[in-house]
Amino acid sequence: MATAKNAATEAVNKMAEQNQEALVKVKNTLKEAFANVKKTVGLDNAPDFIKEAVEAQENLASNWFDSLIRVAQVKSVEELNEVLNTQVKHFQKNFTTAMDLDFWKKSSKKGAEWKPTDYVNVDFAKETMLKVIDLCQPAK
């Protein structure tokens, strides 16, 4: 009985290790893809906001792979449950935040002094996109 349990534990650990290796490879491939795209489109010469947006998207992708790698390292059902609950609570909080108009007013560069016309301009769109990317980050 102990031998079967040891074999099962070993198989699970081996699978977790292989999953982690695969995720690290994909993350590195993604990093290389971002580097190639930046080089190909000449991101160095792009407007600052484009650079910020691409960097924010790159960080988001990297953080998600770090989060998946963390899940791949989990050794027990309890630990997996804790990791997944943390993510769910994090997203519930961020979804609630994203639905709160006061958040957008208070956290904006203009503060709570927004007028309706302020919501339909390029600066607000830029600021909003970066905040949405930030709200999509996985829990640490």
Side-chain angles (χ1 to χ4, degrees):
M1 176 91 150
T3 321
K5 184 177 179 183
N6 289 347
T9 302
E10 190 175 316
V12 167
N13 288 341
K14 184 73 173 168
M15 191 168 64
E17 187 179 305
Q18 289 171 343
N19 287 342
Q20 184 178 341
E21 287 173 9
L23 287 168
V24 168
K25 284 180 186 174
V26 173
K27 180 182 173 188
N28 289 338
T29 301
L30 182 68
K31 195 174 190 176
E32 290 168 12
F34 267 106
N36 288 337
V37 167
K38 288 178 186 178
K39 193 176 182 182
T40 304
V41 299
L43 194 68
D44 290 342
N45 301 325
D48 285 343
F49 174 71
I50 301 292
K51 291 177 192 174
E52 288 176 37
V54 170
E55 186 177 306
Q57 292 283 2
E58 185 176 10
N59 288 339
L60 176 62
S62 176
N63 287 343
W64 267 109
F65 275 100
D66 288 342
S67 186
L68 291 171
I69 289 166
R70 199 164 51 245
V71 170
Q73 294 168 341
V74 163
K75 300 289 185 204
S76 70
V77 172
E78 293 80 14
E79 190 180 350
L80 179 61
N81 193 36
E82 186 180 325
V83 168
L84 295 178
N85 279 333
T86 300
Q87 292 297 340
V88 168
K89 287 177 185 172
H90 175 73
F91 281 115
Q92 285 174 331
K93 178 181 161 280
N94 283 0
F95 185 75
T96 303
T97 299
M99 296 291 123
D100 182 10
L101 184 58
D102 284 339
F103 163 76
W104 297 102
K105 287 182 176 181
K106 290 175 186 171
S107 67
S108 80
K109 293 174 185 167
K110 287 191 168 191
E113 302 301 316
W114 284 97
K115 297 185 280 297
T117 54
D118 293 325
Y119 292 107
V120 285
N121 66 45
V122 174
D123 288 337
F124 184 75
K126 292 174 185 177
E127 194 177 336
T128 302
M129 185 168 74
L130 291 174
K131 283 189 181 130
V132 167
I133 292 170
D134 195 46
L135 287 171
C136 290
Q137 298 288 341
K140 301 284 181 214

